[in-house]
Amino acid sequence: MSTKSTGSRSRTPDIHLAQQPDADALLGRSPLAALVGMLLDQQVPMEWAFSGPYTIASRLGADDLDAHEIAARDPEEFAALLSEKPAVHRYPGSMAQRVRQLCAFLVEEYGGDAEAVWADAATGKELLARLQALPGFGKQKAQIFLALLGKQYGVRPTGWREAAGPYGERGAYRSAADITGPESLAKVRAHKQETKAAAKAAKAAKDAKTSGN
């Protein structure tokens, strides 16, 4: 998965997001698999989300994902494929639609080449804008993926850390961008739980103040 923005790399990155060798190998060599994994990373454990691209490719009888093929698939047939046990996501039907929308966008805007989204991005700000334009990618998801590209895939246009916001920070354990193995996965999971607990406590305090007025 080379990049024009920093020059071609001689090796495939060693990815550990799915915590499964075959699934992680696909994430390392396939730009589209990485994008789809990031798309699926919501409301399910990260390992489940990032193993999804490998599961989809296997059920399609392929060793990689193809944006043209997925975009052209019958919607109901593709949804059924993601719904097979074990399901690719907690909400396989809606996520099947999102994956197809993403692939259709890539075909329309980038000729089906997922890597073209970031290959010639000159700045982090430009890359963030491109990622946010992708179906299913809000600002937070785009920033996390930008950080993942920079930290693990060697895609580092000028200002990429700043554009990725807190997810681009060195030594942080905030997101998928920081997972390099079981230990860092545990740290990221702990950080997410702390963030949720803090948000819950803040909401409870606000509700108590409101009811007291």
Side-chain angles (χ1 to χ4, degrees):
M1 196 153 125
S2 62
T3 168
K4 295 177 184 175
S5 58
T6 58
S8 297
R9 290 193 306 277
S10 59
R11 67 179 183 84
T12 299
D14 190 15
I15 303 300
H16 296 278
L17 294 171
Q19 302 285 297
Q20 296 178 31
D22 290 340
D24 281 323
L26 177 60
L27 294 171
R29 70 175 185 268
S30 169
L32 180 55
L35 270 181
V36 170
M38 189 72 244
L39 178 69
L40 295 172
D41 186 24
Q42 58 187 67
Q43 299 178 294
V44 295
M46 281 179 281
E47 312 96 292
W48 185 0
F50 282 99
S51 65
Y54 179 76
T55 303
I56 295 171
S58 297
R59 291 178 183 176
L60 289 172
D63 60 3
D64 196 358
L65 300 179
D66 184 298
H68 291 275
E69 180 185 359
I70 292 174
R73 282 262 164 178
D74 176 80
E76 292 186 7
E77 178 188 300
F78 191 61
L81 184 132
L82 268 65
S83 300
E84 290 177 20
K85 302 297 183 182
V88 168
H89 194 275
R90 182 172 290 143
Y91 305 106
S94 61
M95 294 312 294
Q97 181 180 5
R98 291 191 181 191
V99 171
R100 287 187 65 258
Q101 289 173 339
L102 173 62
C103 289
F105 183 88
L106 291 173
V107 168
E108 181 69 23
E109 300 295 329
Y110 296 98
D113 180 7
E115 189 170 14
V117 176
W118 56 83
D120 61 352
T123 66
K125 185 177 180 181
E126 179 185 354
L127 178 50
L128 179 62
R130 291 186 185 187
L131 292 171
Q132 283 189 257
L134 298 174
F137 278 68
K139 182 177 181 180
Q140 183 184 48
K141 190 178 288 288
Q143 286 187 314
I144 291 173
F145 192 74
L146 198 164
L148 177 62
L149 287 173
K151 291 180 177 182
Q152 299 198 42
Y153 289 92
V155 179
R156 296 163 183 159
T158 303
W160 71 270
R161 285 191 186 276
E162 292 77 9
Y167 304 105
E169 293 175 5
R170 288 184 176 87
Y173 292 97
R174 298 177 184 274
S175 70
D178 306 302
I179 296 172
T180 56
E183 184 178 342
S184 51
L185 172 61
K187 289 181 180 180
V188 169
R189 188 156 283 147
H191 172 79
K192 289 185 176 240
Q193 290 172 344
E194 290 170 7
T195 301
K196 285 182 180 179
K200 186 175 181 181
K203 183 178 184 301
K206 182 179 179 181
D207 291 345
K209 184 177 180 180
T210 301
S211 61
N213 290 338

